[in-house]
């Protein structure tokens, strides 16, 4: 690994001013779970590392019945997985974390680091997009709020300036009669998904008609893939096996997955179809059980 200058700000203000002074030559590090892998292989060689792991003001989980959930960027995966507030109000997040990495990575890696890494195979961004979450970024000029869906630009590329920090993930209140699910294809529990899916389904309880659907696939494009055409097939109808098959087929034709040792492009396309069907069906069943 190449040598670098090391900065360890303790507040958001200090972190932002350090980044601004470095004029684009500073690289944020938090848990280092993704970044250090790249640095060890010299695929990333920052001159200045700004380690924000000590910015403890960003380590929190807050819930408000009217506003929803706020997760500070420094919250670890383990804290999300174990939070009683999350288990009660956003169980899909705890479910997703249970399948994310190994316990050591969950204990040190953060939600903010995962969101900002921009890996299209990552699990939290897909669930955040299904939940219609927003990211609160802070820079020298103040703060801005970005839809999680708009944050992902390309493979490992996100909408963040060199002197901005992701501070918070904001998740709205979940509408009544809504179910959510997340699932991924793993060789073994905790692996990055070969393909994954997150789905939100809202139904009209009197008719069973689907009022809303938000479906996101992972590792099938250069960013998390919102399956909008599939959603259109489901919204306004009573979802059944035939519609799910049609929705899955449409997504498998639209995605543009990578090919690697874990699966060919064709295999991933078919898994996109299967996981879209499976995870959406699970979200639908959960919606039916809600009042
Ligand atoms: C063995 C292993 C298995 C894994 N399995 C999974 C898995 O199954 N699913 C999954 O989704 N992920 C998985 N990961 C990825 C990992 O969980 C996350 O990417 C990790 O949690 C990132 O958090 P971090 O704090 O370590 O970020 P870092 O590695 O410190 O940073 C990652 C990137 O985000 C930037 N960054 C960090 N924090 C901020 C911030 N607050 N504001 C702006 N930029 C920031 C950094 O500059 C860097 O570009 C795995 C990782 C490992 C090592």
């Amino acid at each position: 690994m190449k040598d670098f200058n090391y900065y360890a700000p303790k507040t958001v203000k200090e972190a932002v001013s350090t980044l601004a002074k470095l004029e684009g030559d500073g690289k944020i590090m938090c848990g280092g779970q993704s970044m250090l892998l790249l640095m060890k292989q010299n695929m990333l060689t920052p001159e200045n590392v700004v380690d924000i792991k000590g910015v403890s003001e960003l380590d929190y989980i807050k819930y408000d019945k009217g506003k929803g959930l706020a997760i500070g960027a420094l919250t670890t995966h383990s804290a999300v997985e174990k939070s009683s507030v999350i288990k009660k109000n956003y169980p899909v997040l705890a479910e997703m974390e249970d399948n994310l990495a190994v316990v050591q990575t969950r204990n040190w890696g953060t939600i903010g680091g995962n969101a900002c890494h921009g890996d299209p195979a990552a699990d939290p961004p897909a669930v955040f997009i299904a939940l219609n979450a927003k990211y609160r970024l802070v820079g020298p000029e103040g703060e801005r709020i970005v839809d999680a869906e708009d944050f992902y630009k390309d493979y490992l590329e996100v909408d963040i300036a060199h002197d901005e920090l992701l501070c918070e993930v904001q998740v709205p209140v979940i509408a009544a009669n809504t179910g959510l699910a997340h699932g991924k294809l793993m060789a073994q529990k905790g692996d990055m998904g070969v393909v994954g899916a997150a789905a939100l389904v809202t139904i009209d309880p009197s008719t069973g008609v689907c009022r809303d659907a938000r479906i996101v696939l992972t590792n099938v494009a250069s960013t998390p893939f919102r399956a909008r055409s599939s959603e259109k097939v489901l919204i306004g109808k009573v979802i059944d096996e035939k519609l799910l098959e049609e929705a899955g087929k449409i997504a498998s034709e639209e995605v543009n997955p990578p090919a690697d040792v874990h699966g060919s492009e064709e295999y991933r396309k078919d898994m996109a179809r299967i996981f879209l069907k499976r995870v959406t069906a699970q979200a639908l069943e959960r919606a039916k059980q809600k009042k």
Side-chain angles (χ1 to χ4, degrees), residues 195-216:
V195 167
L200 171 149
V201 174
T202 304
I203 55 163
D204 180 329
S206 55
T207 60
V209 167
C210 172
R211 290 273 168 248
D212 193 16
R214 294 176 66 91
I215 306 171
V216 187

Side-chain angles (χ1 to χ4, degrees), residues 27-37 52 73 77 99-102 105 108-110 112-114 116-117 121-124 160 164-166 184 190-192:
K27 178 75 181 151
I28 295 176
M29 176 153 73
C30 198
Q33 296 298 300
S34 295
M35 229 180 105
L36 284 169
L37 292 179
I52 60 165
H77 295 294
N99 280 322
L100 186 149
V102 291
T105 297
W108 201 245
T110 63
N114 188 297
C116 289
H117 190 50
D123 303 309
I160 197 161
E164 278 183 320
L165 204 63
L166 170 65
K184 62 180 176 176
D191 281 355
M192 297 293 286

